[in-house]
Amino acid sequence: MAEPWRDRARRAVEWNWRLRSAGDPRPHYVICGKDALAYYVARAMLESELPTGGARVTVVVPERYRSNGPDVAALRGVRVVRSDRLDVATFEAAGLAGASGLALLHQDDVGNLHAALCAQAVDQRVRQVLRMFNGTLADGVRKLLKASVEVLSDAEMAAPAFVAAALGEVDSSTFQHRDKTLRVARRADVRPQDVVCALAHLTEAQGVELLPAEQAGADLVLAEATGQPPGTEVAARRLVRARRRRRPVAVLLGAVRGFATRKIGVAVMLVLAVIAVLGALISRTEGASPLEALYLTLVTTLSGADPDTSKPAGAQIMQVVLNLAGLALIPLITAVVVDGIVNARLALHTGQLQPARVGHVVLIGLGNVGTRVMAQLREYDVEVVAIDKDPEPRGAALARQLEVPLIVGDAALPETLVAASVADCQALVVASTDDVANLEAALAARDLRGDLRVVLRFFDGDFAERVEETFALGVSRSVSYLAAPAFIGALTERAVITTIPVDRHALPVAEVPVAAGSELDGRPLDMVNRDGQVRLIARTPAGGGRTIWWKDLDPRQVIFAGDRLTVVARRRGLDWLTRQCAPPALGKTPMPQGHAGSMPRPVPTPAVPARPAGPVSVPGGQHGSPPGPSDREVAASAPGAAHPVSPPRSPTAGAVPSPQSADGGHWPMEPADDTGVRDEPDASAARSG
C-alpha cells in the first residue's frame, strides 16, 4: 500500500534537514528501481566515501509495489519519490537536472528506454546507466542516445557463476584487458608463472579469505590465459563424454505411463482379468487345449456366440458373462485410444512426455537469468531440460531454437521433476524469481535424490542464510549482488572491467586514473596494495604508454599523474583507492585528527619537481608536509607492507582505517557475506549434498 502521509512528511523533513541540497557539494544520483539490484546500488552509493564526502541518492519507486527481497525505499538517507511513470514530471520532481548520474534498473527493456528518452529531455548531460536484457536493443540504445549512456545486463554477468556451480567448478570468469586475457582458476590448474595474483583462500574453518597476504597459499587465483581451456569447459566436456546411452525400457515404460489416465487403465485391467478367468473356466469345462480355449474366449468376447441350450447351466452363465465383458471391453478400448492420443498431444506440447535422460542439467525458470544459463550450457554441449510454469516464458523461443525440451508445470510437483529425470541429472539449477517456489522445488528434488547438487537463486538474504544453514540444500547465488559493482562503476564513471564472483562475494576489476595532486601522485606503487582490500595487477603510464603488467611491476616505482592503475579489489578497497587517486577538493584544508572544532590551518601546495623517467625509489619523509597521520602510514603499517612507514604528514580528507581492525574484523558496514541473497546469489564452487 502507499506510504502513509505522516511517514512521507517525516522522511521529507529528515531529508531536508540532513542534506540541505542548496549548495550541497556532494554528487546527486537518481536510481529508478524496486528490486534487489536497486537496493544494492543505492546502499553502495550511500556508503561510498567519495572525495566530496559521500553522495546524495534519490530513489524513484512505484506508488504501490511489493518488495521481493530487500526494500530500497527503506534505506536510511535516501530521498524517495513515488511514481508509477518515469516521465519528465517524475524526473523533475526527483531533481534530475544537474545530477551526476541516473540508473534505470527496472526489468523492462522498453520501459527503461522510454525513461532514458524522458531523462534526456530533462538533462542531456546526465550520465545514464540502463539495465537491459535484449542485446540488440542495447546496441541500438548506445548508438542513438545523445547522452552519455552505459547499457548493462545483470543476467549476462551472473550466468557464468550459475553454470560453474552446476558443473561443480569455480567460476572461470575470463576477460580481456589491454593486451592480455585473464581468467579465474584454481592454483593447481595453472602454471606458477601464469599466476597474476591470489584471489581467495578457501578453508572450512575460517571460510573465505579474500585477497590474502599469503599469495602462495591461495586456492583461487587470477591467471593469464595461455590457451588452456577453463575448468568449466573441461568439466562440460567430461560430462558430455560420460553421458550414457538412453535406456529403451525406461523410455517405453514412460510412454506407456503417459498414454492413458489411471482410471481408464484400471478399468481395462479389471475387464481383462474377468475375461481371462472365464476363459480358463471354459477351457476346463469343455476340455479344450489352451490354444482352443483362447480362441473360444476371444470369439465369444468380441463377436458373441450362437445360443446353445444343450450346454450345462454353468457354461451358459459363463458365456453370457463373457458377452457382457466383451460389450464393456470394446468401448474401453476406444476410450483408451482416444485418451492416449489426446494425452500424447498434450504431453508433447507441455514437455511432459520426455525420454529418460542421464547426466543432464535441469533448469527451473526461463526468465532473464535462466535463459542466459541455458544458452551457456548449450554452448558447452551440455544437455538441458527446462521447467517453467508459463507455457511461453521469456526463453521459450531460444529453447526451441537450441532444441531444449520445455516442461510446462509446477517444479514443486514430483511428477514434473520425474518427467525431467531429476533423479539422474548432473545438477538442478533453480533460477525462478520466487523464493518460496525455489525452495519448494529444491526440497522436492532432494526427496527424489538426496545427494543432488542444487544451485539456488534467492532474493531475500536473511531467508537464504537461514535456509542454507537449516536445510543445507547447496549453493546459493544473488544475481544483483554479483552485478551491482559493475552498475556502480558505470554510474560513478569508474572503469569496472568485470566482476569476479568468489563464494558469496564479488571482486570488481577496475582501472583507476591518478589525478594530479592526488594522494598517490608521486608515491611508490607499493602504496596501492592493501591486504584483503586492493591488489595491483597492472599500470598504464600517462600518455598511453605500454601497459606494465604484474611480472614487471617494481613496488619502488613512482606513480605519476595520468597513470592508470588496474586493480582487483573489494568494494571498500576500491572506494579507498578512488579517493587516493582523486584530485584534491577545492577549498578544503586538512585538520588533524582528534581536534574537532579547531580552526584548520592552510597547507601550501608544494611545487612538483620534474620527475625522471623510469622507476625511482622515493624515500619516506621527503614531501615537506606538516606532521600528522597519513593514509600512507596506514597502508604501510598493514600486514604484508613491504616498505617502512614514512614520517607522518598531515591527514587528508577521506582517510580510512586499515582494512582489518585490531581484532581481525571486517570493514565496518561492508557486507562480508551475501549468503544466497536473491536478486534479481549472487558465486562459489558448487558442493554436493
Side-chain angles (χ1 to χ4, degrees):
M1 59 184 298
E3 187 180 28
W5 68 269
R6 293 181 180 177
D7 292 344
R8 291 191 184 185
R10 177 193 55 78
R11 189 184 295 274
V13 171
E14 179 184 356
W15 172 256
N16 293 327
W17 178 79
R18 292 184 70 246
L19 299 183
R20 300 182 186 274
S21 58
D24 196 330
R26 296 178 298 168
H28 180 212
Y29 295 95
V30 179
I31 299 174
C32 304
K34 60 181 181 179
D35 60 5
L37 180 59
Y39 174 85
Y40 285 127
V41 172
R43 190 182 72 174
M45 298 307 299
L46 289 172
E47 296 176 357
S48 63
E49 299 177 8
L50 301 174
T52 54
R56 294 183 291 126
V57 178
T58 299
V59 176
V60 181
V61 296
E63 279 284 352
R64 296 175 177 86
Y65 73 98
R66 174 179 173 270
S67 177
N68 197 12
D71 188 2
V72 62
L75 285 171
R76 285 187 63 86
V78 302
R79 177 192 175 201
V80 179
V81 175
R82 296 183 179 271
S83 176
D84 293 328
R85 288 182 56 84
L86 297 179
D87 50 14
V88 173
T90 300
F91 288 130
E92 289 177 348
L96 181 63
S100 300
L102 168 67
L104 301 171
L105 305 181
H106 286 290
Q107 296 191 52
D108 182 2
D109 290 359
V110 177
N112 288 341
L113 176 57
H114 178 259
L117 296 174
C118 294
Q120 185 175 271
V122 176
D123 189 349
Q124 292 190 359
R125 296 173 298 176
V126 66
R127 180 173 181 80
Q128 299 186 23
V129 180
L130 277 70
R131 176 188 193 178
M132 281 196 173
F133 175 81
N134 191 314
T136 304
L137 183 60
D139 293 337
V141 170
R142 292 188 186 98
K143 297 176 182 177
L144 296 178
L145 277 183
K146 299 178 182 179
S148 175
V149 63
E150 186 72 26
V151 184
L152 303 175
S153 171
D154 57 330
E156 185 177 3
M157 287 183 252
F162 285 84
V163 174
L167 298 178
E169 289 289 329
V170 298
D171 181 18
S172 54
S173 303
T174 302
F175 63 94
Q176 187 171 3
H177 178 57
R178 302 294 180 179
D179 55 342
K180 290 191 181 296
T181 301
L182 307 178
R183 67 184 179 94
V184 180
R186 293 189 177 97
R187 180 177 288 275
D189 297 337
V190 296
R191 301 180 302 176
Q193 59 268 29
D194 295 333
V195 176
V196 178
C197 71
L199 294 178
H201 182 56
L202 310 176
T203 59
E204 295 184 0
Q206 299 180 356
V208 180
E209 182 184 359
L210 297 177
L211 303 176
E214 184 61 35
Q215 299 276 320
D219 303 308
L220 201 64
V221 298
L222 181 65
E224 182 180 4
T226 56
Q228 184 180 1
T232 305
E233 185 176 348
V234 173
R237 292 177 181 176
R238 184 168 56 249
L239 179 62
V240 172
R241 288 195 301 265
R243 186 185 303 158
R244 297 193 296 267
R245 299 178 61 183
R246 296 175 181 175
R247 296 167 291 183
V249 177
V251 174
L252 179 61
L253 292 178
V256 171
R257 285 196 302 267
F259 189 72
T261 61
R262 184 176 181 178
K263 291 182 179 180
I264 294 179
V266 171
V268 172
M269 295 299 295
L270 288 176
V271 172
L272 291 178
V274 170
I275 292 174
V277 171
L278 293 176
L281 293 176
I282 289 176
S283 65
R284 293 188 63 180
T285 56
E286 296 186 0
S289 64
L291 292 178
E292 292 176 348
L294 178 63
Y295 170 74
L296 291 174
T297 302
L298 292 177
V299 170
T300 304
T301 302
L302 299 178
S303 61
D306 294 333
D308 188 358
T309 58
S310 62
K311 288 184 177 182
Q316 293 179 6
I317 293 174
M318 288 187 291
Q319 189 177 30
V320 172
V321 174
L322 274 178
N323 289 332
L324 293 176
L327 292 176
L329 182 61
I330 292 176
L332 283 175
I333 293 176
T334 304
V336 167
V337 173
V338 174
D339 188 62
I341 293 174
V342 173
N343 286 343
R345 291 179 63 87
L346 291 175
L348 288 174
H349 178 70
T350 60
Q352 296 288 346
L353 188 59
Q354 294 291 334
R357 290 178 169 84
V358 175
H360 58 294
V361 174
V362 177
L363 174 63
I364 298 177
L366 279 186
N368 292 351
V369 178
T371 302
R372 297 289 189 185
V373 172
M374 176 185 65
Q376 292 195 16
L377 287 171
R378 291 304 298 146
E379 286 180 3
Y380 291 138
D381 200 25
V382 175
E383 191 174 10
V384 180
V385 176
I387 301 176
D388 201 293
K389 291 182 179 180
D390 188 357
E392 285 295 325
R394 177 158 224 167
L398 183 60
R400 288 190 290 267
Q401 180 181 348
L402 299 176
E403 298 182 353
V404 172
L406 173 59
I407 299 177
V408 179
D410 188 356
L413 299 178
E415 52 267 27
T416 305
L417 298 176
V418 169
S421 301
V422 168
D424 298 319
C425 69
Q426 168 76 10
L428 173 68
V429 180
V430 187
S432 73
T433 57
D434 189 339
D435 278 357
V436 177
N438 290 348
L439 179 59
E440 289 178 348
L443 293 174
R446 277 295 177 86
D447 289 339
L448 297 177
R449 178 180 162 191
D451 62 344
L452 178 64
R453 179 186 296 126
V454 180
V455 183
L456 280 170
R457 175 190 184 185
F458 279 120
F459 283 83
D460 192 302
D462 181 70
F463 178 65
E465 183 177 359
R466 297 180 186 277
V467 166
E468 188 162 327
E469 292 177 356
T470 305
F471 298 102
L473 285 175
V475 183
S476 56
R477 296 289 177 270
S478 169
V479 176
S480 297
Y481 190 77
L482 292 175
F487 283 86
I488 296 168
L491 192 62
T492 57
E493 298 188 72
R494 295 176 182 172
V496 176
I497 302 166
T498 188
T499 301
I500 300 175
V502 180
D503 194 64
R504 298 178 187 87
H505 306 271
L507 297 177
V509 181
E511 188 178 56
V512 182
V514 180
S518 62
E519 285 296 311
L520 288 181
D521 186 10
R523 311 299 292 272
L525 284 176
D526 187 59
M527 301 302 299
V528 178
N529 290 318
R530 308 187 80 181
D531 294 334
Q533 293 296 324
V534 183
R535 191 70 64 199
L536 178 67
I537 63 175
R539 170 198 177 194
T540 303
R546 184 180 62 87
T547 300
I548 305 173
W549 288 94
W550 75 99
K551 295 179 180 179
D552 303 320
L553 286 176
D554 188 339
R556 297 170 299 177
Q557 288 179 343
V558 174
I559 303 173
F560 298 133
D563 290 353
R564 306 186 71 87
L565 307 177
T566 304
V567 297
V568 182
R570 302 188 72 173
R571 182 176 58 81
R572 286 287 184 179
L574 187 57
D575 286 345
W576 170 83
L577 181 62
T578 303
R579 294 196 311 274
Q580 301 303 302
C581 295
L586 296 177
K588 285 193 175 182
T589 55
M591 182 181 296
Q593 295 181 357
H595 293 79
S598 60
M599 293 298 295
R601 49 193 179 89
V603 179
T605 303
V608 180
R611 302 185 178 96
V616 179
S617 175
V618 178
Q622 300 299 325
H623 297 277
S625 300
S630 67
D631 286 330
R632 181 181 181 184
E633 179 180 353
V634 174
S637 61
H643 293 278
V645 179
S646 62
R649 57 194 194 103
S650 62
T652 56
V656 295
S658 58
Q660 294 181 344
S661 60
D663 58 353
H666 293 282
W667 282 72
M669 296 300 291
E670 180 177 12
D673 201 3
D674 182 48
T675 308
V677 178
R678 186 173 75 164
D679 93 311
E680 235 257 12
D682 305 296
S684 73
R687 56 183 183 271
S688 301

